[in-house]
Amino acid sequence: MKSNQPLNSEKVFRPANLDELDALAAQTAEGVTYVAGATDLLVQEERWKSARILVDLTAVKALHATLEVRENGVLIGAAVPLSRLIRHPLIRERLPILVETCRQIGSVQIQNRASLGGNIANASPAGDTLPVLSVLEAELRIGPRQNGEFEKLSLDQVMLGPGQTSLNGNRYIAQIFIPFPPRDAFWYFRKVGQRQALAISKVSLAVLGKKKEEKIEEIRICPGSVTPQIVRAQKTESLLRGQPLTEERIEKARAAIECEVSPITDIRSTTEYRRRITGELLREALYLWLRN
Amino acid sequence: MKASPKEFRVDAAEKLSGATSYIRDEQIPGLWYGTTVRSPHPRARIREIHLDPHFDWNTVTIVTAQDIPNNYVAMLENDMPFLAEKVVNYVGEPVALIAAPTRAEAEEAKKHLRVDYEPLPAILDMLEAEKSSIKLFGENNLFKEIVIEKGNLETAREKAAAVVELEARTGYQEHLYLEPQGMIAIPEKDRVILKGSLQCPYYVKNALTTMFAGLKHITVIQAPTGGAFGGKEDFPSLLAGHAALLAVKSGHPIAMFYDREEDVQVTTKRHPSYHHDVAYVDQEGCLLGLDLHLWLDGGAYCTLSQVVLARAALTATGSYYVPNVRIHAKAVATNTVPSGAFRGFGGPQAVFAMEMLMEKIAQRLGLPPHEVRRKNLIKEGQDTATEQVLKYSVSARETFEDVLQESDYEQKYRQYQEWNKPILEKLRKGEYPKSNRHDRLRGIGLAAFLHGAGFTGTGENKIQGKIRVELTAEGKPLIFSAQTEMGQGEQTAFRKILSDALYIDRDDVLLAEVNTDKVPDSGPTVASRTTMVVGSLLVDAAEEIIQQLSYRLKEEQGVQFDYRRGYFYGGEQILSFREVAQKYAGLTVEKQYHHPPIIKFDDIRWKGDAYPVFSWAAAVAEVEVDPVTFEIRVVRYFTTHEIGKAINYNQAVAQIEGGSLQGIGYALYEKIKLQNGKFDISGFTDYIIPATTETPEFQVKILENPYPFGPFGAKGLGELPFVGAAPAVLSALWMIFGKEFNHLPVLPEDLLQLFSKQKNTEG
């Protein structure tokens, strides 16, 4: 294990493998800050300056290099750069919704460093991959390992609110397992920002659905930037699930989701705009599905 | 001028390769870091500055108002202190300074210094300033009031077929230069050397000489400057004062380097404005009279607000001829960060209001917006609001007609109206996004605009800028001027002007370091004056160099020498410029600027030649609006500029594109609000400027119509492109929605609100 004296924080560690990482997590009494691409951390000067111990995850292959395609899904290291996901042929084929959200994050430079784990750990309600991970029902694998096993948690068990996660006591996100949706599933993702690139979302929406005999068999809807915690719009989903997709249903769903979200007015947008556009994006998604 | 198809900027290679050394790259032994203790209140009385007795204050240096010989920044009014003494007047106002060997130690010490304040009521609305019982400046909080009158508004009122009234507002804008403010002060026995990122070295020298009551010799050196846009015109005087005070007291060189957040929070912004305008027009839309009222929010201290106001007032009638005018302009004091210089300098606010008034006249009379403008464009021989008769280089009509043609405006205007009809209908019925999600509303808008080149009014005659050119031992002319490169291309322009005037290679012209001990005061690098005003001195200098060299050759050799295209011809000899210059190395020529005597201005009655000449432009913006999210994009932008003569064509096009894009940002992206007097932005993440993804397809055209007193006919360019972009973009929104757009910026949130209202009233 290497360590050196950095400029601002007390210590920086760069564990070489999972065992070193787990040992470090267990031995360190103080809270550590895990760093993958640092795209969120570096721009928050106060945060990295106040961090006493930084743990650089980019040498831990299990986190930084894992990209295992299995029959039912893909296991992605929490620190794998998004651009690898964007380029991966099988992920492009089976998880186009994930590729789309990764493409809309920041800029190419950001995508080359940013990771899913970082996006989750940063716990911003505007984190662009979170609604998509939510509708994909991604399973987060949390270290350090206990008896050789990662703990398995869902996104809403980890991301609790703005900047809030359940990851205390030096726990870290190791890997993310994303089950493949059916090949004929409908998907939609759209992000609205004040600029086409390098912009934090005002509103976003991810939708994943499956029809069976003209009825909605499964529907998952997750808006971004309009709720403190990234959670699926369950009331709206239940209004649609098991029902035929009709214009009338769509308009009801729009009204439902506008009630279900709780957006705020801040520097990026207004409550009114966010609420309305969440509804409009849902309509856009569902009408697209209807016409398909 | 020499034809030169590929002329790269002289500073391009160094900047692209990262070799350029900015102020933060300086390696100075023993350099300490300074930090600033600032007011958290928009207005408060300072009760006490309290130092924690448990902290070891011997390790740091503290400066407060008591340490300053003359505690005011010498500018126009001398009302702004370097450090507040009894009262703070805006959030972020400096109260104390601390320096330590490292930034961390300085920040740590800051935590142990506490200022006790008694908060006081504040003025946060510019329209309340004049009548407020709180007195920030003079009797009525007016930094300046200007009234310009021509003709008789009564006549206009009597003859008018329509009276059109408009209220308009523009917001703050942050410069967001790539390199935040940075300054280093190095103390010596009787002098202080200031080196930093700045536009106007002599402003800094003057401010610091005054601050030290003449007790210190001040040397100011400009470091390579990573962008400024006016933001490094007035502010560096304050920052340099801080660095110098700490340096003198501590005995150490001091760095004051703002990070981005501090920079956007406390440095100057573009003046917000409020306009209340009335136009008297005939049936055809001809302007019979204009009654214009405008307010600029100057913030807590005057800085340059008086001159910004002057430019706004003098630009208020835009590119149009109006027989009867009254302009009433006020710059007011409020408890906000002092507003300061920003590309356009009052012009953008004024032109915005005028152009929106044009839109409203067109709407009221049911005329196409370009027709109303066309009828009123000013031409040679007509006079402005100050009764300045435009005698030469007038191209309001030429640029306007050209851009209409280049953009195919009239046809697209009709086409897009047709195109939008079904989309607007569906939008009103709430059918989006049910219908084709790729539908976009298409708008086309236009603006005519101008910029007075050089200082306002008598400014140039007050400054009387001076330059010097010396011939070096290698036979190369070396230019000494105080003009600064900040990314706009001054170094390239100067070397090109002098080399072309002398018919020598651009690489054979040298530029002296901008150091106030070495270069004469050629005036500040502002007001689109560098190329036109100081550049003209270079041409004069070139002529004198040739004359003197010819004379000396004749004296020495007894034959007449003529100079042609880089060579002296005399008797049977042909001598290159270089040979002759080497022979007479050390020859020095000085030139000083005076306005041509035909240019006269009375700045008490506001009559006469407000500017020696104007640069002219017109623009057409094509805009698309997403009917689902109301996102607005400028997809194509056409502009025709008439700038006398483009000194470096490619660079002029780049200036025009950059300035236009910055104006598009002003129109659609850049928003700052105040929360109890504090700006709600912290930097690049929440202050959104256009990126390449927001850059429209540009089609830029430059017309030439020489100004007799500019170098090769050149006029000012730097600010002009900014001025018209926002009104052109908003004109497109008028066209799409048929509604009044009278404030900047316009965001998707505003369009949604407009549409919700419309639906409510119609439904």
Side-chain angles (χ1 to χ4, degrees), chain A residues 45 188 190 192 194-197 202 247 267-270 272-273 276-277 280 283-284 287-288 291, chain B residues 259 430 432-434 437 626 628-629 631 668-669 680 686 688-689 693-694 747-749 752 756:
Chain A
E45 198 178 344
Y188 170 93
R190 187 165 174 188
V192 180
Q194 180 60 8
R195 177 165 62 198
Q196 300 296 310
K202 295 175 175 181
E247 287 200 14
I267 190 160
R268 285 188 289 281
S269 191
T270 62
E272 189 204 357
Y273 183 84
R276 260 292 287 282
I277 301 305
E280 294 298 324
R283 286 176 83 210
E284 179 173 88
Y287 276 115
L288 265 177
R291 283 196 305 272
Chain B
D259 64 15
Y432 284 101
K434 185 160 95 182
R437 67 193 294 237
D626 183 319
V628 177
T629 60
E631 287 167 286
L668 297 180
Y669 300 98
D680 64 349
D686 49 20
I688 305 294
I689 60 167
T693 42
E694 282 65 43
L747 272 66
E749 283 78 0
L752 174 74
S756 313

Side-chain angles (χ1 to χ4, degrees), chain B residues 131-149:
Chain B
K131 297 210 170 88
S132 174
S133 58
I134 301 164
K135 301 299 173 203
L136 304 177
F137 186 89
E139 294 290 295
N140 51 8
N141 296 321
L142 295 186
F143 290 126
K144 180 122 186 147
E145 182 171 13
I146 296 172
V147 179
I148 301 173
E149 281 187 291

Side-chain angles (χ1 to χ4, degrees), chain A residues 125-140:
Chain A
D128 283 321
T129 67
L130 305 189
V132 168
L133 292 174
S134 173
V135 299
L136 287 168
E137 298 193 335
E139 179 186 281
L140 314 187

Side-chain angles (χ1 to χ4, degrees), chain B residues 38-44 88-95 117 122 124 262 264-267 300-301 334-338 674-679:
Chain B
R38 299 181 181 281
S39 162
H41 302 286
R43 187 160 168 264
V88 287
N89 279 313
Y90 66 93
V91 174
E93 178 161 10
V95 177
Y117 295 99
L124 294 172
E262 183 170 28
V264 301
Q265 281 282 322
V266 306
T267 66
Y301 299 107
T334 60
N335 290 107
T336 57
V337 170
L674 283 171
Q675 285 170 352
N676 196 23
K678 185 177 165 19
F679 293 137

Side-chain angles (χ1 to χ4, degrees), chain B residues 4 43 87 97 183 275 408 524 544 578 606 636 724-725 738 749:
Chain B
S4 36
R43 187 160 168 264
V87 175
L97 304 163
M183 189 73 65
H275 310 257
D408 206 2
E544 193 180 329
R578 183 85 173 267
W606 298 90
R636 273 176 292 278
E749 283 78 0

